[in-house]
């Protein structure tokens, strides 16, 4: 209360200056933490990444508070900026950016209460605003920095008077080059366009993804060396799903591992009657099925209509023979680090598959090939990449991301089958 009355008593200009400073710091910290979250190698830090995400959310909510404190002053502020079109424009851009970040951020934060399409749209907006907003903020802070203002004043007084308005092209070039402030401004803008432009264009026109476009994938072109190549089922050759829609972002908590058919093996062990060990050739000889399903990541992106070809998990478990004591199925990645678990009932869901092909091609190394798990109705942290081992266990095992804060209940809203024991 006391805080509030001191705040109200502050002169208008001081209040605006304080809000501006708060907002600037928040945008800076949110930009840095947001970029880190976007940066794939940061995943290797596990728990630190989850904490960074939580901090990012809380700071984002704090920026809502700052915006709410500002709103009552909006009309008066706009009036104050009369006759200063550049500053009005800046205010408009900043408000649009903040509102866009906040609204999309809240949707991403509340993803569990919303169907995946909402998160997909929100992630697109959040990313797009970041690609535009961060360069804008850098430009804004450099071109308005106090240092430049001081310099400009000095230049102006040394010349006797400020540079006159430039009438011709040559004149404008001279104007740009000769006033220090605008020269630096244009250089900053130029460098930013050169740095961010190509990536942004790729992001924008490449479907908004940041990963693998399957249409461009040439089998055998990556680090995996698996021979013979599996022969696709007729339903996969021309994918019955019509081809994946969207781009997979490449996620890994380790450097991407590579595999060769010379030493690759797939095992099923633990509480089973017939432990199994297949080499690559034997594994590709197991009968495969084709299914079309969507793929949803908790961070907000989805890939739709994937035509997966592989062995239903229930089929593999049947071959191994589950012992009565077994209650969970544990999955091991060939990266040596990542694991996850399903209950027996979850593992029996029909579309849970040990996949070997995607859209008629071997699964790319980056996307977890040669063999990955897919659990389409759960968030994709359950879909263990580079799957090489399955173990039937009696006591629950907590998976890699679940240990670090992800929900053990990974069902996507609306996709959980209506069945009591799931
Ligand atoms: N071995 C392994 N499997 C993994 C992960 C991982 O980091 N390592 N990330 C999971 C997460 S969070 C997602 S969203 C998907 C991403 O799959 P993709 O990289 O093929 O797009 O893989 C899942 N399986
Ligand atoms: Mo994910």
């Amino acid at each position: 209360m006391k805080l509030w009355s001191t705040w109200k008593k502050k002169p208008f200009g001081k209040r605006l200056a304080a809000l501006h400073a708060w907002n600037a710091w928040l945008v800076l910290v949110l930009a840095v933490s947001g970029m880190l979250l976007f940066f794939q190698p940061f995943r290797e830090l596990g728990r630190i990444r989850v904490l960074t995400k939580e901090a990012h959310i809380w700071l984002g909510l704090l920026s809502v508070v700052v915006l709410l404190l500002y709103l009552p002053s909006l009309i008066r502020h706009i009036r104050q900026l009369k006759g200063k079109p550049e500053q009005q424009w800046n205010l408009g851009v900043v408000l649009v950016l903040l509102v866009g970040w906040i609204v999309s951020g809240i949707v991403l934060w509340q993803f569990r209460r919303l169907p995946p399409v909402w998160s997909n749209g929100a992630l697109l907006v959040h990313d797009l605003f970041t690609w535009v907003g961060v360069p804008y903020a850098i430009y804004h802070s450099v071109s308005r920095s106090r240092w430049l203002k001081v310099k400009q004043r000095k230049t102006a007084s040394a010349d006797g008077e400020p540079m006159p308005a430039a009438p011709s092209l040559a004149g404008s070039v001279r104007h740009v080059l000769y006033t220090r402030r605008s020269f630096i401004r244009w250089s900053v803008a130029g460098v930013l366009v050169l740095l961010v432009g190509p990536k942004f264009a790729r992001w924008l026109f490449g479907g908004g993804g940041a990963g693998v476009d399957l249409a461009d994938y040439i089998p055998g072109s990556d680090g995996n060396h698996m021979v013979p190549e599996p022969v696709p089922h007729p339903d996969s050759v021309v994918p019955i799903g019509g081809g994946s829609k969207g781009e997979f972002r490449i996620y890994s908590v380790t450097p991407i591992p590579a595999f060769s058919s010379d030493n690759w093996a797939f095992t099923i062990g633990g509480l089973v009657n017939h432990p199994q060990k297949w080499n690559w050739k034997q594994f590709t000889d197991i009968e495969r099925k084709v299914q079309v399903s969507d793929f949803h990541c908790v961070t907000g992106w989805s890939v739709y209509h994937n035509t997966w070809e592989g062995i239903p998990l229930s089929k593999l478990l049947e071959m191994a023979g589950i012992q009565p004591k077994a209650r969970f199925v544990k999955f091991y990645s060939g990266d040596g680090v990542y694991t996850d678990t399903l209950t027996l009932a979850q593992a029996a869901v029909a579309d849970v598959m040990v996949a070997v092909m995607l859209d008629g091609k071997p699964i790319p190394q980056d996307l977890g090939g040669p063999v990955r798990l897919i659990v389409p109705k759960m968030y994709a942290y359950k879909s263990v990449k580079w799957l090489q081992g399955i173990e039937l266990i009696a006591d629950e095992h907590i998976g890699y991301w679940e240990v670090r804060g992800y929900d053990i209940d990974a069902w996507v809203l609306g996709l959980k089958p209506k069945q009591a024991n799931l």
Side-chain angles (χ1 to χ4, degrees):
M1 272 295 105
K2 184 149 177 282
L3 217 65
W4 179 246
S5 55
T6 2
W7 173 250
K8 292 293 281 182
K9 269 194 229 119
K10 259 186 198 268
F12 185 68
K14 282 240 167 86
R15 245 187 290 161
L16 279 190
L19 288 170
H20 182 261
W22 271 102
N23 189 55
W25 282 111
L26 280 171
V27 167
L28 177 66
V29 179
L30 284 163
V32 171
S33 54
M35 303 288 217
L36 282 176
L37 291 170
F38 183 79
F39 185 55
Q40 295 319 327
F42 195 53
R43 298 201 147 248
E44 292 176 29
L45 295 184
R47 179 73 191 149
I48 293 176
R49 185 180 187 281
V50 174
L51 288 172
T52 306
K53 188 166 178 174
E54 273 159 25
H56 186 81
I57 292 169
W58 287 109
L59 290 168
L61 291 171
L62 198 57
S63 78
V64 179
V65 175
V66 172
L67 187 63
L68 289 178
L69 282 174
Y70 168 74
L71 281 185
S73 316
L74 178 62
I75 307 267
R76 187 162 161 201
H77 189 199
I78 291 175
R79 252 189 248 131
Q80 208 178 57
L81 296 182
K82 221 180 213 165
K84 295 176 181 163
E86 205 178 320
Q87 291 192 36
Q88 285 173 352
W89 215 81
N90 174 60
L91 177 62
V93 172
V94 170
L95 286 178
V96 168
L97 283 171
L98 289 176
V99 170
W101 271 322
I102 288 169
V103 172
S104 58
I106 288 174
V107 171
L108 285 170
W109 172 43
Q110 290 300 318
F111 72 97
R112 286 310 290 262
R113 296 167 203 275
L114 300 161
V117 275
W118 281 70
S119 312
N120 300 163
L123 184 66
L124 195 80
V125 170
H126 217 70
D127 282 358
L128 179 71
F129 275 48
T130 304
W131 283 112
V132 176
V134 168
Y136 182 81
I138 294 173
Y139 170 77
H140 175 77
S141 50
V142 173
S143 69
R144 293 291 185 84
S145 74
R146 228 166 274 162
W147 178 76
L148 279 174
K149 277 184 190 155
V150 171
K151 288 278 178 189
Q152 195 202 17
R153 236 175 273 139
K154 275 192 191 148
T155 321
S157 55
D159 294 352
E161 58 184 82
M163 287 297 292
S168 64
L169 178 65
S172 9
V173 171
R174 226 178 299 131
H175 181 74
V176 165
L177 291 180
Y178 289 164
T179 71
R180 201 172 309 205
R181 180 163 166 194
S182 60
F183 174 69
I184 293 189
R185 249 191 205 193
W186 283 101
S187 333
V188 171
V191 168
L192 285 174
V193 166
L194 282 179
L195 282 180
V196 177
K199 263 200 136 177
F200 176 60
R202 211 192 83 76
W203 177 84
L204 194 63
F205 301 113
V212 170
D213 186 349
L214 278 173
D216 298 339
Y217 172 65
I218 303 159
S221 65
D222 56 25
N224 280 350
H225 184 70
M226 309 300 289
V227 284
E229 230 176 68
V231 181
H233 186 283
D235 285 348
S236 271
V237 177
V238 179
I240 49 170
S244 297
K245 293 281 172 305
E247 260 183 52
F248 289 89
R249 296 194 179 189
I250 302 160
Y251 283 178
S252 180
V253 298
T254 63
I256 307 276
F259 300 91
S260 158
S261 40
D262 294 341
N263 51 24
W264 185 90
F266 194 101
T267 58
I268 304 186
L271 303 171
V272 294
N273 297 324
H274 320 286
Q276 307 282 330
K277 181 168 185 170
W278 294 279
N279 65 25
W280 174 247
K281 176 76 179 69
Q282 292 162 335
F283 195 76
T284 54
D285 284 342
I286 304 172
E287 192 196 353
R288 293 191 294 272
K289 288 213 158 135
V290 176
Q291 72 175 43
V292 179
S293 56
D294 302 332
F295 189 92
H296 306 289
C297 171
V298 276
T299 59
W301 54 272
S302 300
V303 183
Y304 295 88
H305 313 306
N306 306 295
T307 304
W308 297 103
E309 178 178 327
I311 309 147
L313 178 63
S314 56
K315 204 62 192 272
L316 284 179
L317 295 181
E318 199 180 290
M319 291 166 86
I322 305 168
Q323 290 180 2
K325 268 184 294 174
R327 287 172 54 229
F328 296 93
V329 188
K330 180 177 176 184
F331 303 95
Y332 293 86
S333 169
D335 64 16
V337 173
Y338 203 87
T339 57
D340 216 320
T341 324
L342 295 175
T343 64
L344 279 185
Q346 292 167 347
V349 171
D351 60 1
V352 179
M353 177 181 262
V354 175
V356 178
M357 307 194 87
L358 173 55
D359 282 356
K361 296 173 187 174
I363 298 174
Q365 177 194 18
D366 285 344
L367 300 190
V371 172
R372 83 175 293 165
L373 184 69
I374 49 153
V375 188
K377 293 184 170 67
M378 291 187 177
Y379 283 108
Y381 57 88
K382 288 285 179 183
S383 296
V384 177
K385 297 166 73 168
W386 308 294
L387 182 67
Q388 278 199 280
I390 295 177
E391 187 186 8
L392 277 289
I393 54 177
D395 298 319
E396 180 160 27
H397 162 80
I398 312 291
Y400 182 91
W401 280 119
E402 291 89 326
V403 166
R404 292 159 181 81
Y406 280 33
D407 213 331
I408 288 176
D409 170 9
W411 295 108
V412 177
L413 183 77
L415 297 186
K416 182 175 173 176
K418 287 177 185 48
Q419 181 184 321
N421 59 350
L422 295 175

